[in-house]
Amino acid sequence: FYCWIHNQLELMMCLLCSLLHAENLLVLTVATKQTEGFRRFRRSAQFFNYKIQVLGLDEEWKGGDDKKPAGGGQKVRLLKSALKQHADKEDLIILFTESYDVLFASGPTELLKKFKQAKSKVVFSAENYIYPDRKLEAKYPPVRDGKRFLGSGGFIGYAPNLKKLVEEWKGKDDDSDQLFYTKIFLDPEKRVCVVKLFLCLDHRSRIFQNLNGALDEVVLKFENARVRARNLLYDTLPVIIHGNGPTKLQLNYLGNYIPQIWTFETGCTVCDEGLRSLTGIKALPMILIGIFIEQPTPFLSQFFLRLRNLHYPKQRIQIFIHNHVMDSFVNEHSKEYLAMKVIGPDDEMENAEARNLGMDLCRKDPDCDYYFSLDAEVVLKNTETLRILIEQNKSVIAPLVSRHEKLWSNFWGALSPDGYYARSEDYVDIVQRRRVGLWNVPYISSVYMVKGKVLRSELDEGDLFHGGKLDADMAFCHNVRNQGVFMYLTNRHQFGHILSLENYQTSHLHNDLWQIFSNPEDWREKYIHENYTAALKGKLVEMPCPDVYWFPIFTDTACDELVEEMEHYGKWSTGDNTDSRIQGGYENVPTIDIHMNQIGFEREWYKFLLDYIAPITEKLYPGYYTKVAFVVRYKPDEQPSLMPHHDASTFTINIALNRVGIDYEGGGCRFLRYNCSIRAPRKGWTLMHPGRLTHYHEGLPTTKGTRYIAVSFIDP
């Protein structure tokens, strides 16, 4: 508490100092459009209490483009015009800076102090590369320590001196501003004698930090409640950070930390369009959800169930689905939503075209407030996801999802020079949620939300998912970045995870059964009984007969799919000794059965036994391992019962796969030595009992229907 009070008092003193010094400082910048980069610049200036005047707002930009990167003369023209009203203010200090790719890292007090320490009338930023005319390199004066070349993205000086600096400008809007300033700097007479500029460069990045060619110099310095960018090479703390040239993405990374417009703990400070004040369904924004199933995907039934369970009124949701569709979802639930459009396999629409169509549906609908893109491999468990993302009030935002216990996620923290993945310094901390907040990132995929008004303005281009040889997701991010729209990722909440699709087999009737290795968490959710955890703690383990234990293990879905898989295979044994020998000779009394290895499920079943049966058996019968597993079928006209016998095991598990009284009548198990019978096995529950010597038992007759049990011999 004392430290908090101290920090608050220190912050107040800094603010008072800034207010006192800000009277003699004016920040001029050029911004013809209010891009996200400009808004970030303005927020950082407001955070540190800078007084800003924006030049050229809403004016057509004629200062050059990507085809002529050496332009910028329009900025000089606008500056020259603005300085006329300040020409006689000898005490006024003016900072001229870029805006789209600039951040303030400290306040006016520190800026003015460092400027006056430079003992010059005008101070320009400095950088490692000469631009735009390399022929002028020889004319630059040598530098003993620091960067040698002038950068025009930021400079500071007294108002009269800056007026003299630009008064000779007679160039065109698309001429090079940097070349103009460079020629003045390289002319000693103009620099010192004629106009008395006394112009110098900020060689050691005390005021300006240009990132181009200097990324290895800059690190983040964390101290108390602040973060500063520190230049390791010169041991300086720059006041202004400029992501010039190809370093804009690195500035986005630094902008996640400086200034602290938001904190790791609380995310955005103010959400202008939050939902908490809205009442009534009609007041809520309308959302179009685009669902993409681009390849065979496990656990689709759970995916659509989670979609239905999102806490958002279905009458404010439209659905667009591309490719493989679960007919049951569309047929049974389409009327619940505001609208539903399906593009199936017969439409032969490619991935990129389908994604363009989904966004276009929102773009062309003036009532569409948000577009939410969701790939089927995303396991979205947070039912409040839509509301959370809307409340962040960002143009494009993604919730963090990653593969279970892996670093694979739906975002990149940085890009390589060729535009592909590069790991940022904080990537692992963000994925593992050791750093929590709202993050400006260069790439997102799989699940994200886009504002409808952004699709109708900055992102009004109809084709966002094509870009040379890039994949659809990479092309989308590339095109969004090129339009100056920031993409954000939030990990302030737990949202879910991403399925692994690499080893998904499609040759079975119920392919999800084989996913216990690739997607264990989702396998457990679908197939393991909801009360298994209680059984593991000993709360639901019953003992209906001496040394016979009974506990829940499988869901109804697991039981049904295992039975259906066996019937689909269909090659049941005939119940003679020949079958027993073929299956390994473990059955003392042969049964009508199909072994797990016959359907290629032995490895998965063994994994199930190790993960779910072993933890319980270790408490009841410690020291044994599982060997054999099969599904037995009992029918009145086939094999209704099983004669008394000892199992060829130390102990046995016997899982009921269907329901007595509904699927069949009769059945059960009788332990002869104890004259104890279990006549109503519960579906999904397993009996665990000793095999050899003590628990001589028989299968009671099945009188009607078909009874299925899954049997495993432990330590045969």
Side-chain angles (χ1 to χ4, degrees), residues 21-242:
H21 287 91
E23 294 299 320
N24 295 325
L25 176 66
L26 174 64
V27 178
L28 297 179
T29 190
V30 171
T32 57
K33 294 182 179 180
Q34 295 197 42
T35 65
E36 291 207 60
F38 170 75
R39 290 193 289 270
R40 176 183 60 188
F41 167 81
R42 185 175 58 190
R43 286 197 305 269
S44 73
Q46 292 171 346
F47 181 81
F48 289 114
N49 200 42
Y50 284 96
K51 183 169 61 177
I52 291 181
Q53 181 180 342
V54 182
L55 310 178
L57 197 59
D58 298 325
E59 179 179 306
E60 181 183 358
W61 175 252
K62 300 178 181 179
D65 51 29
D66 292 339
K67 297 179 180 178
K68 188 180 179 182
Q74 187 171 350
K75 291 182 288 185
V76 187
R77 173 175 63 80
L78 292 169
L79 177 60
K80 180 179 179 179
S81 176
L83 286 174
K84 291 178 181 178
Q85 60 181 306
H86 303 297
D88 57 346
K89 301 176 183 178
E90 295 185 357
D91 293 333
L92 178 63
I93 297 173
I94 292 179
L95 167 68
F96 183 82
T97 177
E98 303 277 10
S99 61
Y100 297 147
D101 51 6
V102 167
L103 276 173
F104 287 102
S106 187
T109 302
E110 183 177 340
L111 174 65
L112 293 175
K113 177 182 177 182
K114 289 182 175 179
F115 167 64
K116 292 177 180 179
Q117 288 175 343
K119 298 180 180 180
S120 182
K121 299 295 184 181
V122 178
V123 177
F124 268 80
S125 68
E127 52 187 321
N128 290 320
Y129 300 139
I130 185 171
Y131 181 83
D133 188 353
R134 296 188 61 183
K135 297 177 183 177
L136 297 176
E137 180 176 354
K139 294 185 178 182
Y140 267 90
V143 176
R144 190 179 209 178
D145 180 28
K147 300 172 184 178
R148 185 180 173 194
F149 306 112
L150 178 143
S152 62
F155 50 90
I156 185 172
Y158 291 97
N161 298 91
L162 291 186
K163 180 180 180 299
K164 293 178 182 178
L165 176 70
V166 298
E167 65 184 3
E168 292 186 10
W169 172 259
K170 296 181 177 61
K172 300 177 182 179
D173 279 357
D174 61 350
D175 287 343
S176 173
D177 61 329
Q178 182 143 322
L179 185 60
F180 169 72
Y181 294 128
T182 297
K183 288 182 177 180
I184 293 176
F185 175 73
L186 295 180
D187 187 329
E189 186 176 354
K190 288 184 177 181
R191 185 170 73 244
V192 179
C193 303
V194 178
V195 296
K196 298 181 180 179
L197 293 177
F198 299 104
L199 191 155
C200 73
L201 303 186
D202 181 27
H203 296 291
R204 303 179 73 252
S205 300
R206 299 183 73 247
I207 299 174
F208 303 98
Q209 177 64 66
N210 289 311
L211 295 177
N212 192 23
L215 294 180
D216 293 340
E217 300 174 12
V218 182
V219 297
L220 289 173
K221 179 183 179 183
F222 293 82
E223 55 180 22
N224 297 328
R226 291 190 63 185
V227 183
R228 287 293 297 267
R230 178 182 180 184
N231 187 301
L232 290 175
L233 186 60
Y234 308 115
D235 194 22
T236 56
L237 297 173
V239 178
I240 299 158
I241 314 297
H242 183 197

Side-chain angles (χ1 to χ4, degrees), residues 203-420:
H203 296 291
R204 303 179 73 252
S205 300
R206 299 183 73 247
I207 299 174
F208 303 98
Q209 177 64 66
N210 289 311
L211 295 177
N212 192 23
L215 294 180
D216 293 340
E217 300 174 12
V218 182
V219 297
L220 289 173
K221 179 183 179 183
F222 293 82
E223 55 180 22
N224 297 328
R226 291 190 63 185
V227 183
R228 287 293 297 267
R230 178 182 180 184
N231 187 301
L232 290 175
L233 186 60
Y234 308 115
D235 194 22
T236 56
L237 297 173
V239 178
I240 299 158
I241 314 297
H242 183 197
N244 57 325
T247 64
K248 290 179 176 59
L249 294 179
Q250 184 67 14
L251 181 74
N252 293 349
Y253 167 75
L254 296 176
N256 288 324
Y257 298 95
I258 53 172
Q260 285 73 34
I261 301 167
W262 50 79
T263 67
F264 300 150
E265 293 79 15
T266 59
C268 63
T269 324
V270 178
C271 295
D272 299 329
E273 300 175 10
L275 298 179
R276 305 191 188 283
S277 61
L278 298 178
T279 57
I281 291 177
K282 292 184 178 179
L284 291 171
M286 196 275 279
I287 303 174
L288 172 60
I289 300 180
I291 297 170
F292 299 92
I293 313 170
E294 303 302 324
Q295 56 186 311
T297 305
F299 307 110
L300 275 178
S301 58
Q302 282 69 34
F303 171 84
F304 282 105
L305 179 61
R306 285 188 292 270
L307 178 68
R308 291 183 56 219
N309 289 338
L310 287 174
H311 288 175
Y312 203 86
K314 293 180 175 59
Q315 286 304 304
R316 298 301 292 162
I317 294 177
Q318 296 184 26
I319 300 288
F320 168 74
I321 302 177
H322 174 243
N323 216 356
H324 308 287
V325 180
M326 291 191 65
D327 293 335
S328 60
F329 172 78
V330 176
N331 295 335
E332 296 173 13
H333 304 290
S334 60
K335 293 182 180 179
E336 299 175 10
Y337 294 90
L338 188 60
M340 185 174 293
K341 181 179 178 63
V342 177
I343 301 295
D346 295 339
D347 295 290
E348 297 183 351
M349 183 176 289
E350 295 295 328
N351 179 22
E353 282 78 8
R355 293 180 185 273
N356 276 326
L357 175 59
M359 282 195 173
D360 214 34
L361 290 173
C362 180
R363 184 182 288 116
K364 293 178 179 179
D365 183 356
D367 294 328
C368 181
D369 298 300
Y370 291 91
Y371 177 76
F372 184 61
S373 180
L374 180 63
D375 290 0
E377 61 263 32
V378 174
V379 180
L380 201 61
K381 290 194 171 183
N382 191 325
T383 57
E384 301 293 339
T385 296
L386 296 178
R387 292 174 178 265
I388 291 170
L389 297 183
I390 291 173
E391 287 176 351
Q392 298 308 299
N393 192 27
K394 296 300 179 185
S395 297
V396 183
I397 184 169
L400 170 67
V401 288
S402 60
R403 287 188 181 171
H404 183 60
E405 297 183 347
K406 304 289 184 182
L407 293 177
W408 179 287
S409 75
N410 65 322
F411 85 99
W412 296 348
L415 295 180
S416 64
D418 56 356
Y420 288 85

